[in-house]
Amino acid sequence: GENVEQHPSTLSVQEGDSAVIKCTYSDSASNYFPWYKQELGKRPQLIIDIRSNVGEKKDQRIAVTLNKTAKHFSLHITETQPEDSAVYFCAASLTGGGNKLTFGTGTQLKVEL
Amino acid sequence: DAGVTQSPTHLIKTRGQQVTLRCSPKSGHDTVSWYQQALGQGPQFIFQYYEEEERQRGNFPDRFSGHQFPNYSSELNVNALLLGDSALYLCASSFGRNNSPLHFGNGTRLTVT
């Protein structure tokens, strides 16, 4: 089955700096890659997603890049703010796999003032 | 427009007991998936329901079962509870089965003592 690895497990940045979180996946058939943000005690919330026919997608301060050949994808957050502090999860879904998402282990992002 | 709602929010059970968790999908969604999230981990896929049938299943024992009703709401049942079943159980809904964005509920925190 699919396996998703995520790193780093913790990331501390200064307010205004950029943050990058990286994930790799094992199954080349995966074609959908969402990113979720989960604040303490709250639900995971979809912040951005990308499909395998696209190499990059951007939404304001958030961007995701996908390298299908290398089977890795990354989340980029620019101009970080304290409210960006949360756990971020990457996930992958197989072609024809319905909505079965395989999640990474999460990155605890802390934005310091 | 209500999002995904789950009940109860918290539950304490004893080893060997049975539990039923409930989920109402986001308006307009017809597919419900259940995930288990252990402390400090990413969500793990349990199963997915579409058209009142289990369509996909993750690596969980038969003690975990579910149901989907004609109004698309769903239940997750866990029999013969083990201490290791203590986790946050997340329901997620989507429209259709294939790689459409998942919207999560706030989850049910199950503690088995």
Side-chain angles (χ1 to χ4, degrees), chain B residues 48-111:
Chain B
Q48 178 195 74
Y49 276 85
Y50 175 72
E51 292 185 337
E52 302 179 48
E53 289 189 16
E54 182 183 296
R55 299 291 179 168
Q56 273 208 300
R57 190 177 184 93
N59 190 24
F60 279 81
D62 291 345
R63 298 186 298 108
F64 290 76
S65 64
H67 189 78
Q68 186 179 33
F69 299 93
N71 67 351
Y72 308 120
S73 66
S74 177
E75 289 182 349
L76 164 65
N77 302 292
V78 186
N79 294 323
L81 285 167
L82 304 174
L83 295 179
D85 294 331
S86 296
L88 180 68
Y89 288 85
L90 293 163
C91 173
S93 72
S94 61
F95 177 71
R97 295 184 56 223
N98 290 306
N99 294 343
S100 60
L102 286 184
H103 294 257
F104 284 89
N106 285 327
T108 293
R109 173 69 63 187
L110 173 64
T111 302

Side-chain angles (χ1 to χ4, degrees), chain A residues 65-84:
Chain A
T65 58
L66 171 65
N67 184 326
K68 286 176 58 180
T69 302
K71 290 189 283 187
H72 68 70
F73 55 114
S74 300
L75 178 71
H76 305 253
I77 305 174
T78 59
E79 301 172 18
T80 53
Q81 302 166 2
E83 52 266 38
D84 294 329

